[in-house]
Amino acid sequence: MTPPPVTGGEARSPGVDPEALVASAVEVLEATTTLTELDEAQTELLGKRSALVRAHQALASLEPAQRPEAGRRLNEARRSIESHLSERREEFERGERAARLQADRLDLTEVIAPPLRGRLHVVQRTRVELEDVFVGMGFVVAEGPEAETDWYNFEALNMPPAHPARGMWDTLYLELGEPETVMLRTHTSPVQIRLMESQGPPIYAVMPGKCYRRDTPDSRHIPTFHQIEGLVVDRGISFADLAGTIETFTTAYFGLDIHSRLRPSYFPFTEPSAEYEITCTICKGKGCRTCSQTGWIELGGCGMVDPAVFEAVGLDPDEWTGFAFGFGIDRCTQMRHEIPDMRVFFDNDVRVLRQI
Ligand code: PHE
């Protein structure tokens, strides 16, 4: 195809009008939607086969006098097309950069949906919360085995063989060693002995864990349950320290409107001993079925470490004093969440467990 001649001066027709070249180039550029299309348009508008190049070649066919002017106008057209082209290129690049930034953007305000993998059982959560309260009061957390020997579960706790206090407890023995020497522990108090044997005073520790008793399940009892034991051994510890610790714990965990009281009681390993009770959170002390109409719920027992226990672990009772307490974690959960019947924790009906 022979390129159309470029006109110079006023008389443009019938040659190529550089301004028309620019106008149609702008149209082509505006129609592009991607950088690849733009590259193609560049070849089409400025490449060897472009109308512009052909118009340049056609200059040769002009009168020599007309050539410089026509050439100047063609060069102007080329510059104009080039600048439109680079403007368009920048537009695309800006857009691409913005898109990339948008895609890379980290939304730090995004709420991550909780994983659907479940969570700790409410009794385990109580255990963690109780540990936190005591750690905040300066205690450390310790643990002991669930299968215990007679020595730890009874004897070192001042319950020699045939002691009447064993009566309600000596039940769940394991077929291990001599008959009736290894059992599922009935309380967490054996960990007191283990701690005193393995480390010297001062001791400020809590010991949570599972316990087993031949109990008939009812609204406040479960045969496999959880306790948290406390033990303080130091010089000059008094019953007031025990009462203060219990009260501080009660208000920290249950809130300021729940009170504690200690009622005289008996445990072979503490002297004096007390029952630790709190205001029934279900009736707020008025009396209901759960608290047997008393307005109080027993959480556990406590007292000053009996001198016989210190002797059993080789500590001098004239030098060392201490207190111990042990109470039910399940009972705490029940009171904290105001649940009339403890059995719902272990029926494992997820519709219930999801609510607490
Ligand atoms: N171990 C006792 C129980 O299970 C509770 C207790 C612990 C009492 C520590 C006094 C001191 O009933």
Side-chain angles (χ1 to χ4, degrees), residues 157 159 168-169 186-190 192 211 213 225 227-230 266-270 272-275 298-305 323-327:
L157 287 165
M159 281 181 272
M168 60 175 187
W169 286 348
T186 57
H187 52 177
T188 42
S189 299
Q192 287 186 34
C211 308
R213 281 186 200 173
F225 61 104
Q227 282 191 336
I228 184 163
E229 190 84 10
Y266 171 77
F267 296 99
F269 36 94
T270 46
S273 304
E275 303 274 2
E298 185 208 322
L299 276 195
C302 60
M304 303 307 291
V305 177
F323 65 75
F325 57 82
F327 56 84

Side-chain angles (χ1 to χ4, degrees), residues 56-269:
H56 265 289
Q57 288 159 351
L59 285 176
S61 61
L62 286 183
E63 290 295 316
Q66 291 179 331
R67 283 181 207 159
E69 173 61 7
R72 188 191 60 77
R73 291 183 61 217
L74 274 182
N75 284 337
E76 216 169 73
R78 169 178 279 275
R79 277 197 296 277
S80 172
I81 292 172
E82 281 171 349
S83 95
H84 278 104
L85 190 93
S86 70
E87 248 171 52
R88 189 79 177 136
R89 187 173 293 282
E90 257 171 41
E91 247 170 63
F92 280 130
E93 284 172 352
R94 261 200 309 277
E96 259 191 17
R97 211 167 26 242
R100 207 169 339 108
L101 282 179
Q102 184 63 30
D104 288 353
R105 193 163 158 249
L106 258 188
D107 182 357
L108 298 178
T109 65
E110 189 182 5
V111 177
I112 313 279
L116 294 170
R117 266 185 288 131
R119 56 180 176 157
L120 285 184
H121 187 279
V122 64
V123 173
Q124 288 307 311
R125 291 207 313 272
T126 307
R127 171 187 168 152
V128 173
E129 287 168 19
L130 295 177
E131 287 176 6
D132 282 351
V133 171
F134 283 109
V135 166
M137 290 164 72
F139 286 69
V140 298
V141 180
E143 275 184 320
E146 289 172 25
E148 268 300 5
T149 61
D150 186 273
W151 166 256
Y152 289 105
N153 199 75
F154 293 129
E155 195 146 358
L157 287 165
N158 200 22
M159 281 181 272
H163 190 288
R166 285 187 176 210
M168 60 175 187
W169 286 348
D170 58 350
T171 50
L172 302 166
Y173 288 97
L174 300 174
E175 281 186 331
L176 212 67
E178 293 291 303
E180 301 197 358
T181 53
V182 181
M183 72 203 73
L184 292 178
R185 67 179 178 192
T186 57
H187 52 177
T188 42
S189 299
V191 196
Q192 287 186 34
I193 305 299
R194 289 183 176 275
L195 261 189
M196 286 189 278
E197 278 180 352
S198 66
Q199 67 176 75
I203 296 171
Y204 291 80
V206 286
M207 301 144 255
K210 226 176 245 159
C211 308
Y212 305 82
R213 281 186 200 173
R214 195 201 48 186
D215 277 347
T216 305
D218 64 24
S219 64
R220 285 172 303 171
H221 296 90
I222 288 285
T224 299
F225 61 104
H226 305 78
Q227 282 191 336
I228 184 163
E229 190 84 10
L231 176 68
V232 166
V233 180
D234 209 335
R235 294 189 175 88
I237 298 293
S238 74
F239 199 90
D241 295 316
L242 166 60
T245 303
I246 294 275
E247 181 60 21
T248 305
F249 159 73
T250 305
T251 50
Y253 185 69
F254 291 101
L256 294 172
D257 54 340
I258 299 297
H259 303 290
S260 67
R261 73 172 184 183
L262 299 180
R263 279 199 310 143
S265 184
Y266 171 77
F267 296 99
F269 36 94

